Amino acid sequence: MSAPAEGGVPQAAQRPAVGYALHGDIAVATVDNPPVNALSLAVRSGLMAAIGHALADPRVRALVIIGGGATFVAGADINDFGKPYEEPSLYAIIDALMASSKPVIAAIHGSAFGGGLELALACQWRIASPDAQIGQPEVKLGLMPGGGGTQWWTRLAGPEVALAVTTGGHPVAARQAHEWGVIDRIASGPLLEDALAMAQDVVSGTLRARRLSEATDKIRDVDPALFDAFREKNARKWKGQLAPRKIVDCIEAACRVSFAEGFRLEKEAFRECEHSYQCRALIHLFFAERAAGKLRDASRATAAPVRTAGVIGAGTMGAGIAMSFANAGIPVTLLDTSEEALLRCMKTITANYATSVSRGSLPQAKADAALQRIQTATGWSALADADLIVEAVFEDLAVKQDVFRRLDGIAKPDAVLATNTSTLDVDAIAGATTRPDRVVGLHFFSPANVMRLLEVVRGPRTGAAALTTALGVAKTLRKISVIAGNAYGFIGNRILGAYGREADFLLEEGATPAQIDRVLTDFGFPMGLFAMRDMAGLDVIWRIRRQENLTRPAHLRYSPIADRICEMGRFGQKTGRGYYLYKGREAIPDPEIETLIAGVSAELGIVRRDIPDTEILDRLLCAMVNEGACILEEGVAQRAGDIDVVYVNGYGFPASRGGPMQWAVETGLASVYQRVLALHRQHGEYWTPSPLLAKTAACGQDWDGAAAPAP
C-alpha cells in the first residue's frame, strides 16, 4: 500500500505466510514472509483469514499481530506500486481491524514502516520493543501514506508531529513514538509475552476500550496558519514534488473533517502520487541505486578485507577521503611531503568534526574515536602495510604517475592502489607500476566525507580481485558506488563537459550566467552550473582545460570565456570573484562579466539574441542525454540507471525527475532524438546524434535493451 519495503520471498507451499495460534483466550497471528515481512498478497490473505478466525471463535477474546524473524512488517512490496490492487487489499484489512468487535494489539519489533505501520495503527493498541523503529518513508519514493497514515498520526500525536514525520520520511524510535502517544507501551521483557499480558489488560478492562478514529483532543482549535507557514517554509525544498504538498493537505483535512472523510481524501491523494512522474522517477532511482554497484559480468573474485588504508595528498580531497575511512572505523594514514600541509589538513579535519558535534549530528565520543584513527606521515614507508592506498594529488598525469611509481616500490603485493582522478586515464596511471591489475579508480566527490557517490573506475587491466575489493570498501564507507569504464571523464565529468560546453556557447549567443543558472534551479537543481564552477574553483578547471587544449582539434568550436575570466584572476568564491561577485557565499551578477561575454561574442562574429528559457533547458538536457547515450553504447556505463545515479547523487540533478536518462524516457526517446537531430543541423559536430539514441527512437526499445554490454 504505502511503504518502500523491497519484496518478500515467495512462500513455500508448506509454510503459511501468516501463522495462527491460540495462547489461552488470546489469538496470535505471526507474519512470516522473510526477509522483511512485506505485505505480499499471501500475507494480506493470511491476515484476513486470521482476523476472520479470531472473530468467529468464541474462545478468542483478543488478537495479537506480531512479526516473525527480525521485524514486524517493514511495509508493502515496492514492486506492487502502480499495479492494480489485488484483494484482499491493505484497505480491506484496515477496515476489518477498525470494525473488529474484539480488541487487536500490534506487537512491533524491528521496523514498522509505511503500510506496515498503518497495519499497526489500525489496531486498537500498540506495544513495541525498546529498539523498534516506526515511520512513514513513502515521501522518499514520491508517495505518501495511503492507508490512513496522515489521519492516524494527526489524531494520535497532533498536526505538528504528523507534518514533520510524514513529510520528512525519517524513522522514529519507539521510545519517542511512545512519548507522542503513537506507541502505547514499551515492552520490558520478551515482546510476545508482554503483548499477551497487554491483551489480558485490555480484556480485563485495565486498559479501557477506545475508538481512535474518533479521538479529537489533539486536533481541536488548530490554527490554519500552521499549514500555510509549513508550506511556505518548505516551498524551495519541495520544488517539483507532489507528495509532500498532498501530505500537508491531508493532515490539514484531518483537523477539520471526520476520519472517514480524511481517509477518503488520503486515498485519492495517494493514487494521484502513485501514478505521478515523481513517483516513477524515485522508484526508478531506488532500484538503480541498488543495481549500480553490481557487476553485470559475474566475478568469482572475493573482496579482500580492508583493515588499514592510506591517503596521499593533504588537500581538501585528501582530508575528506581520510575522514571517510575514519568514520567507517578503518585506521588511515594521511601522507604528504609537507609537514605544514599535514598540520593544516588536520586542523581542517578537527574543525569539521567539531562542527558536526556542535550541530548534534555526531556524538563527541565518535568524533574523538574517528580522529584517533587518522595518523599523518611524510615518509612513504608509513604506507607499507596498508591494504588500500588512495592517491589524491593534483589532477596532473605526470604527477600521478610519479606517485604510483613510488607506491609500486613500497606497497605490499596484495594492496589495492587507487587513484582519485576525475578525468585522467586510469590505465596510463596503472602503467607506472609493475602491477596494473591492482590499480583501480576511486573518484570521490567533494566533500568526500559528505557526498555519497563514488565512481569506481575499471581500467582495462584492473583485476577482478582489486575491483571487487574496491566495491566492498565502498559499501563499508556507506557510499553509493557506480562502476565506470576507463574513458575520459568517466560518467559524470564526461557529461558535465558536454552540457557545460553547451552552456558556454549559450553565453556567446546571448544568455547570461544568471539566466542559465536560474533555468537550472527552476528545473530543480540546487545550484546553477556557473555558481557550481565558482564554488569548485575556476583555476582547478582551467588547469585541466589547458591540458585538454593541447590535443583539441582546431576545427571544433571552443569558447574562450572561461579562460578570459581566469586570466583576470577571478577564480570563484575563494577570490570573491568569478562568474559572479561574492558577498560571503551570496552570488551577485557582475556587469563586468556580462561586458566580457558580449566582447567575446563580437570577436567571434556572433550576433547576440534573447534566448528563451525553454531553449536553454532543452539544449542543456538534450546534451546530457546524447552524451549519456554515447557513454552507455560504449560500455563506459553498465546501465542507463547508473548514469542517473551519478547525476542525482553527484551533480544535483533533481531526484524527483529521475536523472537525465529517465527524463528522456519520460519525455519520449523519439522526441529527444528529433531535438538532437535539429540541434545537429543547426550547431554541427558536437550534436552528432548517438547511434544508441537513434536506435531506441527507431525501434522503441528502452535504454538497456538497446545498449551494448559493458566490457
Side-chain angles (χ1 to χ4, degrees), residues 241-309:
Q241 298 182 50
L242 176 65
R245 300 177 191 279
K246 289 291 183 182
I247 288 171
V248 178
D249 291 347
C250 290
I251 292 172
E252 184 174 18
C255 296
R256 56 180 176 80
V257 301
S258 68
F259 184 93
E261 176 63 11
F263 199 173
R264 184 188 68 78
L265 293 171
E266 183 186 281
K267 288 179 185 177
E268 291 178 357
F270 174 80
R271 290 191 178 104
E272 186 177 349
C273 292
E274 185 181 22
H275 297 286
S276 68
Y277 177 167
Q278 295 96 325
C279 181
R280 291 193 299 273
L282 290 166
I283 288 178
H284 161 73
L285 285 172
F286 180 89
F287 287 113
E289 287 184 3
R290 281 149 185 78
K294 298 176 183 176
L295 285 163
R296 272 190 159 171
D297 51 330
S299 172
R300 295 181 181 275
T302 301
V306 174
R307 299 185 180 90
T308 59

Coordinates of all heavy atoms in Angstrom, one line a residue, residues 241-309:
Q241 N 7.9 18.7 -6.5 CA 7.4 17.5 -5.8 C 6.0 17.6 -5.5 O 5.5 18.6 -5.0 CB 8.2 17.3 -4.5 CG 9.7 17.0 -4.7 CD 10.5 16.8 -3.4 OE1 10.0 15.9 -2.6 NE2 11.5 17.5 -3.2
L242 N 5.2 16.5 -5.7 CA 3.8 16.5 -5.4 C 3.5 15.9 -4.0 O 2.6 16.5 -3.3 CB 3.1 15.6 -6.5 CG 1.6 15.4 -6.3 CD1 0.8 16.7 -6.5 CD2 1.2 14.3 -7.4
A243 N 4.2 14.8 -3.7 CA 3.8 14.1 -2.5 C 3.8 14.9 -1.2 O 2.8 14.9 -0.4 CB 4.7 12.9 -2.3
P244 N 4.8 15.7 -0.9 CA 4.8 16.4 0.4 C 3.7 17.5 0.5 O 3.1 17.7 1.6 CB 6.2 17.1 0.5 CG 6.7 17.1 -0.9 CD 6.1 15.9 -1.5
R245 N 3.3 18.0 -0.6 CA 2.2 19.0 -0.6 C 0.9 18.3 -0.4 O 0.0 18.8 0.3 CB 2.2 19.8 -2.0 CG 3.5 20.5 -2.3 CD 3.5 21.2 -3.6 NE 4.8 21.7 -4.0 CZ 5.3 22.8 -3.5 NH1 4.6 23.6 -2.7 NH2 6.5 23.2 -3.9
K246 N 0.7 17.1 -1.0 CA -0.5 16.4 -0.7 C -0.6 15.9 0.7 O -1.7 15.8 1.3 CB -0.6 15.2 -1.7 CG -0.8 15.5 -3.1 CD -2.2 16.1 -3.4 CE -2.5 16.4 -4.8 NZ -3.9 16.9 -5.0
I247 N 0.5 15.6 1.3 CA 0.6 15.1 2.7 C 0.0 16.3 3.6 O -0.8 16.1 4.5 CB 2.0 14.7 3.1 CG1 2.4 13.4 2.5 CG2 2.1 14.6 4.6 CD1 3.8 13.0 2.6
V248 N 0.5 17.5 3.3 CA 0.1 18.6 4.2 C -1.4 18.8 4.0 O -2.1 19.1 5.0 CB 0.9 19.9 3.8 CG1 0.4 21.1 4.6 CG2 2.4 19.7 4.0
D249 N -1.9 18.7 2.8 CA -3.3 18.9 2.5 C -4.1 17.9 3.4 O -5.2 18.2 4.0 CB -3.7 18.7 1.0 CG -3.1 19.8 0.2 OD1 -2.7 20.8 0.7 OD2 -3.1 19.6 -1.1
C250 N -3.7 16.6 3.4 CA -4.4 15.6 4.1 C -4.3 15.8 5.6 O -5.3 15.5 6.4 CB -3.9 14.2 3.7 SG -4.4 13.8 2.0
I251 N -3.2 16.2 6.2 CA -3.1 16.5 7.6 C -4.0 17.7 8.0 O -4.6 17.6 9.0 CB -1.6 16.7 8.0 CG1 -0.8 15.4 7.8 CG2 -1.5 17.2 9.4 CD1 0.7 15.5 8.0
E252 N -4.0 18.7 7.1 CA -4.9 19.8 7.4 C -6.3 19.3 7.4 O -7.1 19.7 8.3 CB -4.7 20.9 6.3 CG -5.5 22.1 6.6 CD -5.2 23.2 5.6 OE1 -4.6 22.9 4.5 OE2 -5.5 24.4 5.9
A253 N -6.7 18.4 6.5 CA -8.1 17.9 6.4 C -8.4 17.1 7.7 O -9.5 17.2 8.2 CB -8.2 17.0 5.2
A254 N -7.4 16.4 8.2 CA -7.6 15.6 9.4 C -8.1 16.5 10.6 O -8.7 16.0 11.5 CB -6.3 14.8 9.8
C255 N -7.7 17.7 10.6 CA -8.1 18.6 11.7 C -9.4 19.2 11.5 O -9.9 20.0 12.4 CB -7.0 19.7 11.8 SG -5.4 19.2 12.2
R256 N -10.1 19.0 10.4 CA -11.4 19.6 10.2 C -12.5 18.7 9.7 O -13.7 19.1 9.6 CB -11.3 20.8 9.2 CG -10.6 20.5 7.9 CD -10.5 21.8 7.0 NE -9.9 21.5 5.7 CZ -10.5 20.9 4.7 NH1 -11.7 20.6 4.8 NH2 -9.8 20.7 3.6
V257 N -12.2 17.5 9.3 CA -13.2 16.6 8.8 C -13.1 15.3 9.6 O -12.2 15.0 10.4 CB -13.1 16.3 7.3 CG1 -13.1 17.6 6.5 CG2 -11.8 15.5 7.0
S258 N -14.1 14.4 9.4 CA -14.2 13.1 10.1 C -13.0 12.2 9.6 O -12.5 12.5 8.5 CB -15.5 12.4 9.8 OG -15.6 12.0 8.4
F259 N -12.8 11.2 10.4 CA -11.7 10.2 10.0 C -12.1 9.6 8.6 O -11.2 9.5 7.8 CB -11.5 9.1 11.0 CG -10.4 8.2 10.7 CD1 -9.2 8.4 11.2 CD2 -10.6 7.1 9.9 CE1 -8.1 7.5 10.9 CE2 -9.6 6.2 9.6 CZ -8.3 6.4 10.1
A260 N -13.3 9.2 8.5 CA -13.7 8.6 7.2 C -13.5 9.5 6.0 O -13.0 9.0 5.0 CB -15.2 8.1 7.3
E261 N -13.9 10.7 6.2 CA -13.7 11.7 5.0 C -12.2 11.9 4.8 O -11.7 12.0 3.7 CB -14.4 13.0 5.3 CG -14.3 14.1 4.3 CD -14.8 13.7 2.9 OE1 -15.5 12.7 2.8 OE2 -14.5 14.5 2.0
G262 N -11.4 12.1 5.9 CA -10.0 12.3 5.7 C -9.3 11.1 5.1 O -8.4 11.3 4.2
F263 N -9.7 9.9 5.4 CA -9.2 8.7 4.8 C -9.5 8.6 3.4 O -8.7 8.3 2.5 CB -9.8 7.5 5.6 CG -9.0 6.2 5.4 CD1 -9.3 5.1 6.1 CD2 -7.9 6.1 4.5 CE1 -8.6 3.9 6.0 CE2 -7.2 4.9 4.3 CZ -7.6 3.8 5.1
R264 N -10.7 9.0 3.0 CA -11.1 9.1 1.6 C -10.2 10.0 0.8 O -9.7 9.7 -0.3 CB -12.6 9.5 1.4 CG -13.1 9.4 0.0 CD -14.5 10.0 -0.1 NE -14.5 11.4 0.1 CZ -14.1 12.4 -0.8 NH1 -13.6 12.0 -2.0 NH2 -14.1 13.6 -0.5
L265 N -10.0 11.2 1.3 CA -9.2 12.2 0.7 C -7.7 11.7 0.6 O -7.1 11.9 -0.5 CB -9.2 13.5 1.5 CG -10.5 14.3 1.5 CD1 -10.5 15.4 2.5 CD2 -10.9 14.8 0.1
E266 N -7.3 11.0 1.6 CA -5.9 10.4 1.6 C -5.8 9.4 0.5 O -4.8 9.4 -0.3 CB -5.5 9.8 2.9 CG -4.1 9.3 2.9 CD -3.8 8.6 4.2 OE1 -3.5 9.3 5.2 OE2 -3.8 7.3 4.2
K267 N -6.8 8.5 0.3 CA -6.7 7.5 -0.7 C -6.6 8.1 -2.1 O -5.8 7.7 -3.0 CB -8.0 6.6 -0.7 CG -8.0 5.7 0.5 CD -9.3 4.9 0.5 CE -9.5 4.0 1.7 NZ -10.8 3.3 1.7
E268 N -7.4 9.2 -2.3 CA -7.4 9.9 -3.6 C -6.0 10.5 -3.9 O -5.4 10.4 -5.0 CB -8.5 10.9 -3.7 CG -9.9 10.4 -3.7 CD -10.9 11.5 -3.7 OE1 -10.5 12.7 -3.6 OE2 -12.1 11.2 -3.8
A269 N -5.5 11.1 -2.8 CA -4.2 11.8 -3.0 C -3.1 10.7 -3.2 O -2.1 10.9 -4.0 CB -3.8 12.6 -1.7
F270 N -3.2 9.6 -2.5 CA -2.2 8.5 -2.7 C -2.2 8.0 -4.1 O -1.1 7.9 -4.7 CB -2.5 7.4 -1.7 CG -1.6 6.2 -2.0 CD1 -0.3 6.1 -1.5 CD2 -2.0 5.1 -2.7 CE1 0.5 5.0 -1.7 CE2 -1.2 4.0 -3.0 CZ 0.1 4.0 -2.4
R271 N -3.3 7.8 -4.7 CA -3.4 7.3 -6.1 C -2.9 8.3 -7.1 O -2.2 8.0 -8.0 CB -4.9 7.0 -6.4 CG -5.4 5.7 -5.7 CD -6.7 5.3 -6.3 NE -7.2 4.1 -5.6 CZ -8.2 4.0 -4.7 NH1 -8.8 5.2 -4.3 NH2 -8.5 2.9 -4.1
E272 N -3.1 9.6 -6.8 CA -2.5 10.7 -7.6 C -1.0 10.6 -7.6 O -0.3 10.7 -8.6 CB -3.0 12.0 -7.2 CG -2.6 13.2 -8.2 CD -3.2 14.5 -7.8 OE1 -4.1 14.6 -6.9 OE2 -2.7 15.5 -8.3
C273 N -0.5 10.5 -6.4 CA 1.0 10.4 -6.2 C 1.6 9.1 -6.9 O 2.6 9.1 -7.5 CB 1.4 10.4 -4.8 SG 1.1 12.0 -4.0
E274 N 0.8 8.0 -6.7 CA 1.3 6.7 -7.2 C 1.5 6.7 -8.7 O 2.4 6.0 -9.2 CB 0.3 5.6 -6.7 CG 0.7 4.2 -7.1 CD -0.3 3.2 -6.7 OE1 -1.5 3.6 -6.5 OE2 0.1 2.0 -6.5
H275 N 0.7 7.5 -9.4 CA 0.8 7.5 -10.8 C 1.5 8.8 -11.4 O 1.3 9.1 -12.6 CB -0.6 7.4 -11.4 CG -1.3 6.1 -11.1 ND1 -0.9 4.9 -11.7 CD2 -2.2 5.8 -10.2 CE1 -1.7 3.9 -11.2 NE2 -2.5 4.4 -10.3
S276 N 2.2 9.4 -10.5 CA 2.9 10.7 -10.9 C 4.3 10.4 -11.5 O 4.9 9.3 -11.3 CB 3.0 11.6 -9.7 OG 3.9 11.1 -8.8
Y277 N 4.7 11.4 -12.2 CA 6.1 11.3 -12.8 C 7.1 11.2 -11.6 O 8.1 10.4 -11.7 CB 6.3 12.7 -13.5 CG 7.7 12.9 -14.1 CD1 7.9 13.9 -15.1 CD2 8.8 12.1 -13.8 CE1 9.2 14.2 -15.6 CE2 10.1 12.4 -14.3 CZ 10.2 13.4 -15.2 OH 11.5 13.6 -15.8
Q278 N 6.9 12.0 -10.5 CA 7.9 11.9 -9.4 C 8.0 10.6 -8.8 O 9.1 10.1 -8.5 CB 7.4 12.9 -8.4 CG 7.5 14.4 -8.8 CD 6.1 14.9 -9.2 OE1 5.3 14.1 -9.8 NE2 5.8 16.1 -9.0
C279 N 6.9 9.9 -8.7 CA 6.9 8.5 -8.1 C 7.7 7.6 -9.0 O 8.5 6.8 -8.6 CB 5.5 8.0 -7.8 SG 5.4 6.4 -7.1
R280 N 7.4 7.6 -10.3 CA 8.1 6.7 -11.2 C 9.6 7.0 -11.2 O 10.4 6.1 -11.2 CB 7.5 6.9 -12.7 CG 6.1 6.4 -12.9 CD 5.8 6.4 -14.4 NE 5.8 7.7 -15.0 CZ 4.8 8.5 -15.0 NH1 3.7 8.2 -14.4 NH2 4.9 9.7 -15.7
A281 N 9.9 8.3 -11.1 CA 11.3 8.7 -11.1 C 12.0 8.2 -9.9 O 13.2 7.7 -9.9 CB 11.4 10.2 -11.2
L282 N 11.4 8.4 -8.7 CA 12.1 8.0 -7.5 C 12.1 6.5 -7.3 O 13.1 6.0 -6.7 CB 11.4 8.7 -6.3 CG 11.6 10.2 -6.2 CD1 10.6 10.8 -5.3 CD2 13.0 10.5 -5.8
I283 N 11.1 5.8 -7.8 CA 11.2 4.3 -7.7 C 12.3 3.8 -8.7 O 13.0 2.9 -8.4 CB 9.8 3.7 -8.0 CG1 8.9 3.9 -6.8 CG2 9.9 2.2 -8.3 CD1 7.5 3.4 -7.0
H284 N 12.4 4.5 -9.8 CA 13.5 4.1 -10.8 C 14.8 4.3 -10.1 O 15.7 3.4 -10.2 CB 13.4 5.1 -12.0 CG 14.6 5.2 -12.8 ND1 15.1 4.2 -13.6 CD2 15.6 6.2 -12.9 CE1 16.2 4.6 -14.1 NE2 16.5 5.8 -13.7
L285 N 15.0 5.4 -9.3 CA 16.3 5.6 -8.7 C 16.5 4.6 -7.5 O 17.6 4.2 -7.3 CB 16.3 7.0 -8.1 CG 16.6 8.1 -9.1 CD1 16.4 9.5 -8.5 CD2 18.0 8.0 -9.7
F286 N 15.4 4.2 -6.8 CA 15.5 3.3 -5.7 C 16.2 2.0 -6.3 O 17.1 1.4 -5.6 CB 14.1 3.0 -5.2 CG 14.0 2.0 -4.1 CD1 14.2 2.4 -2.8 CD2 13.8 0.6 -4.4 CE1 14.1 1.5 -1.7 CE2 13.7 -0.3 -3.3 CZ 13.9 0.1 -2.0
F287 N 15.6 1.5 -7.4 CA 16.2 0.2 -7.9 C 17.6 0.5 -8.6 O 18.5 -0.4 -8.5 CB 15.2 -0.4 -8.9 CG 14.0 -1.0 -8.3 CD1 12.8 -0.5 -8.4 CD2 14.2 -2.1 -7.4 CE1 11.7 -1.1 -7.8 CE2 13.1 -2.7 -6.8 CZ 11.8 -2.2 -7.0
A288 N 17.7 1.6 -9.2 CA 19.0 1.9 -9.9 C 20.1 2.0 -8.9 O 21.3 1.5 -9.2 CB 18.9 3.2 -10.7
E289 N 19.9 2.6 -7.7 CA 21.0 2.6 -6.7 C 21.4 1.3 -6.2 O 22.5 1.0 -5.9 CB 20.5 3.5 -5.6 CG 20.5 5.0 -5.9 CD 20.2 5.9 -4.7 OE1 20.0 5.4 -3.6 OE2 20.0 7.1 -4.9
R290 N 20.4 0.4 -6.1 CA 20.7 -1.0 -5.7 C 21.4 -1.8 -6.7 O 22.1 -2.8 -6.4 CB 19.4 -1.6 -5.2 CG 19.1 -1.2 -3.8 CD 17.6 -1.1 -3.5 NE 17.4 -0.5 -2.2 CZ 17.4 0.8 -1.9 NH1 17.7 1.6 -2.9 NH2 17.2 1.2 -0.7
A291 N 21.3 -1.5 -8.0 CA 21.9 -2.2 -9.0 C 23.3 -1.7 -9.4 O 24.1 -2.4 -9.9 CB 21.0 -2.2 -10.3
A292 N 23.5 -0.4 -9.1 CA 24.7 0.3 -9.6 C 26.0 -0.3 -9.2 O 26.9 -0.3 -10.0 CB 24.7 1.8 -9.1
G293 N 26.1 -0.8 -8.0 CA 27.4 -1.3 -7.5 C 27.6 -2.8 -7.8 O 28.5 -3.4 -7.3
K294 N 26.8 -3.3 -8.7 CA 26.9 -4.8 -9.0 C 27.4 -5.0 -10.4 O 27.0 -4.3 -11.4 CB 25.5 -5.4 -8.9 CG 24.9 -5.4 -7.5 CD 23.5 -5.9 -7.4 CE 22.9 -5.8 -6.0 NZ 21.5 -6.3 -6.0
L295 N 28.3 -5.9 -10.6 CA 28.9 -6.2 -11.9 C 27.9 -7.0 -12.7 O 27.4 -8.0 -12.2 CB 30.2 -6.9 -11.7 CG 31.4 -6.1 -11.3 CD1 32.5 -7.0 -10.7 CD2 31.9 -5.3 -12.4
R296 N 27.7 -6.6 -13.9 CA 26.9 -7.4 -14.8 C 27.6 -8.7 -15.2 O 27.0 -9.7 -15.4 CB 26.5 -6.6 -16.1 CG 25.3 -5.8 -15.9 CD 24.8 -5.2 -17.2 NE 23.4 -4.8 -17.1 CZ 22.8 -4.1 -18.1 NH1 23.4 -3.7 -19.1 NH2 21.5 -3.9 -17.9
D297 N 28.9 -8.6 -15.4 CA 29.7 -9.8 -15.7 C 30.1 -10.4 -14.4 O 31.0 -9.9 -13.7 CB 30.9 -9.5 -16.6 CG 31.7 -8.4 -16.0 OD1 31.2 -7.5 -15.4 OD2 32.9 -8.4 -16.3
A298 N 29.4 -11.4 -13.9 CA 29.6 -12.0 -12.6 C 31.1 -12.4 -12.4 O 31.7 -13.0 -13.2 CB 28.8 -13.2 -12.4
S299 N 31.6 -11.9 -11.3 CA 33.0 -12.2 -11.0 C 33.1 -13.2 -9.8 O 32.3 -13.1 -8.9 CB 33.7 -10.9 -10.6 OG 35.0 -11.2 -10.1
R300 N 34.1 -14.1 -9.9 CA 34.3 -15.1 -8.9 C 35.2 -14.6 -7.8 O 35.4 -15.2 -6.8 CB 34.8 -16.4 -9.4 CG 33.9 -17.1 -10.4 CD 34.5 -18.4 -10.9 NE 33.6 -19.1 -11.8 CZ 32.6 -19.9 -11.5 NH1 32.4 -20.1 -10.2 NH2 31.8 -20.5 -12.4
A301 N 35.8 -13.4 -8.0 CA 36.7 -12.8 -7.0 C 36.0 -12.5 -5.7 O 34.8 -12.1 -5.7 CB 37.4 -11.6 -7.6
T302 N 36.7 -12.6 -4.6 CA 36.2 -12.3 -3.3 C 36.9 -11.0 -2.8 O 38.1 -10.8 -3.0 CB 36.5 -13.4 -2.3 OG1 35.9 -14.6 -2.8 CG2 36.0 -13.1 -0.9
A303 N 36.1 -10.1 -2.3 CA 36.6 -8.9 -1.8 C 37.5 -9.2 -0.6 O 37.2 -9.9 0.3 CB 35.5 -8.0 -1.3
A304 N 38.7 -8.6 -0.7 CA 39.7 -8.7 0.4 C 39.3 -7.7 1.5 O 38.9 -6.6 1.2 CB 41.1 -8.5 -0.1
P305 N 39.5 -8.1 2.8 CA 39.2 -7.1 3.9 C 40.2 -5.9 3.8 O 41.4 -6.1 3.5 CB 39.4 -7.9 5.1 CG 40.4 -9.1 4.7 CD 40.0 -9.4 3.3
V306 N 39.7 -4.7 4.1 CA 40.5 -3.5 4.1 C 40.5 -3.1 5.6 O 39.5 -2.5 6.1 CB 39.9 -2.4 3.2 CG1 40.7 -1.1 3.4 CG2 40.0 -2.8 1.8
R307 N 41.6 -3.5 6.3 CA 41.7 -3.2 7.7 C 42.4 -1.9 8.0 O 42.2 -1.2 9.0 CB 42.4 -4.3 8.4 CG 41.7 -5.7 8.3 CD 42.4 -6.7 9.1 NE 41.7 -8.0 9.0 CZ 42.0 -9.0 8.1 NH1 43.0 -8.7 7.2 NH2 41.3 -10.1 8.0
T308 N 43.3 -1.5 7.0 CA 44.0 -0.2 7.1 C 44.1 0.4 5.8 O 44.1 -0.2 4.7 CB 45.5 -0.4 7.6 OG1 46.2 -1.3 6.7 CG2 45.5 -1.0 9.0
A309 N 44.1 1.8 5.7 CA 44.1 2.5 4.5 C 45.2 3.6 4.5 O 45.6 4.0 5.6 CB 42.8 3.1 4.2

